[in-house]
């Protein structure tokens, strides 16, 4: 048996402020740090302690992983950071207040941008300061890989690369693997693991700071899954 532990980062400062975040690199709030520490305690108490960890390039996920692992006294395990696990890119919505955006464009339109599987929010332009091409951590990406905006479909597609090329081999090697990431990148993993349809996955809610354990056989079939 192998175990994959999915952990959405704790509350961030922009979650707290009700802002669209996406690839914007914001810090955890005090509540988010507490959530991460509690997640680590839950894993330790349940004896679900990872031997390897994956996270994104964004500090709210990285720090969640670090705090949770510290609570388990497993700071020493390998931690692999992969941009494929970044949150969905919300394009020109990033940094905007969600309530004010709903007033401007209408709640129905904002709901479509946020919850549709294959609809993208308004695009950034390549000269926008929020464009990831200006960020040194993405300098190795090609222009076609740098998003101007993403749908959930796009996010799932890039997460699949990390799942197939990195996480599956790590599961076979280590047995128990933690993925500390984001609501939409974790939806991508859940969609692949549990076979959800496009309609089903958009309604899946992933709570912050609550570890979800997925038990797998050698062929990556799910045998059991539960929250701690």
């Amino acid at each position: 048996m192998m175990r994959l532990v999915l952990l959405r980062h704790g509350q961030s400062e922009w979650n707290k402020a009700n802002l669209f975040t996406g690839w914007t690199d914001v810090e955890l709030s005090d509540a988010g740090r507490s959530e991460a520490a509690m997640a680590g305690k839950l894993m330790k108490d349940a004896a679900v302690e990872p031997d390897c960890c994956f996270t994104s390039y964004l500090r709210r996920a990285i720090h969640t992983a670090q705090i949770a692992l510290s609570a388990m006294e497993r700071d020493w395990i390998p931690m692999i950071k992969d941009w494929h696990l970044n949150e969905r890119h919300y394009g020109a919505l990033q940094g905007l207040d969600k309530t004010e955006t709903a007033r401007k464009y209408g709640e129905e339109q904002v709901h479509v941008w946020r919850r549709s599987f294959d609809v993208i929010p308004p695009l950034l332009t390549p000269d926008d300061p929020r464009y990831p091409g200006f960020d040194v951590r993405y300098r190795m990406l090609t222009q076609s890989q740098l998003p101007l905006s993403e749908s959930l479909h796009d996010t799932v597609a890039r997460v699949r690369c990390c799942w197939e090329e990195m996480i599956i081999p790590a599961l076979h090697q280590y047995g128990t693997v933690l993925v500390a990431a984001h609501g939409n990148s974790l939806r991508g993993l859940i969609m692949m693991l549990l076979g959800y349809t496009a309609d089903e996955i958009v309604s899946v809610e992933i709570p912050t700071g609550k570890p979800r354990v997925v038990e797998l056989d050698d062929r990556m079939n799910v045998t059991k899954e539960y929250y701690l």
Side-chain angles (χ1 to χ4, degrees), residues 175-194:
T176 301
V177 172
L178 169 66
V179 178
H182 309 266
N184 285 300
S185 52
L186 293 177
R187 277 190 182 93
L189 287 171
I190 289 169
M191 186 175 187
M192 287 179 269
L193 288 163
L194 300 180

Side-chain angles (χ1 to χ4, degrees), residues 35 37-48 72 209-211 228:
E35 287 178 321
M38 179 55 68
K41 184 178 185 302
L42 287 170
M43 286 184 270
K44 183 178 180 66
D45 289 349
V48 181
M72 289 182 271
K210 192 171 182 182
L228 296 179

